Each structure stands twice: as C-alpha cells, then as structure tokens.
Amino acid sequence: EIVSRDGAQIYAHAVKKSHPNVIQVNDRFHLIKGLSHFLSNVHMLLLHASMLFDFNIFDALIELSCVDV
C-alpha cells in the first residue's frame, strides 16, 4: 500500500504507527512545492555562478546541447 500525505513529521509518525508497512509519499501540492523550491535554488546558484565567473549560462547550455553523448 502507498499513502500520500502532508510533509509534516506528525503525519509521518501517525501513518507509521497505524500502518507500519505502507510506503509514504508526499502529496502533489508538497511535491510541487519542494520541486519549485529546489529549482529556485538551482536558478539562484546558476545566476550567482554566472556573475562570479563571468559566463553566460544560456551559451553554456547551448554548447552542452550540441555535445554528442
């Protein structure tokens, strides 16, 4: 069984106590919220890196997309 729940630890504890063998996953809202937060952090990291090392991130992405893997 799989249980979708809020990210709060109190819910995790309650689910584990009542259904110890289920798999717990984040609900859609909190999954998207976490992904949005992560992407925002990556964006800020790339922005700061581009200013620090004086490079254009878009040029770097275009160059990477042309590389054969």
Side-chain angles (χ1 to χ4, degrees):
E1 283 185 81
I2 298 175
V3 173
S4 173
R5 64 167 178 80
D6 184 289
Q9 288 300 316
I10 190 76
Y11 295 121
H13 179 71
V15 170
K16 187 160 185 79
K17 187 174 180 181
S18 63
H19 297 85
N21 297 323
V22 300
I23 297 171
Q24 298 186 42
V25 297
N26 280 339
D27 61 25
R28 189 179 318 166
F29 172 81
H30 289 92
L31 185 65
I32 292 172
K33 182 179 176 185
L35 180 59
S36 175
H37 181 72
F38 172 77
L39 291 175
S40 178
N41 287 342
V42 169
H43 176 254
M44 291 303 293
L45 178 67
L46 291 173
L47 181 63
H48 288 283
S50 68
M51 289 188 291
L52 184 63
F53 298 110
D54 193 30
F55 75 94
N56 185 328
I57 189 62
F58 297 109
D59 290 341
L61 290 172
I62 290 170
E63 194 171 317
L64 282 174
S65 67
C66 297
V67 174
D68 290 331
V69 180

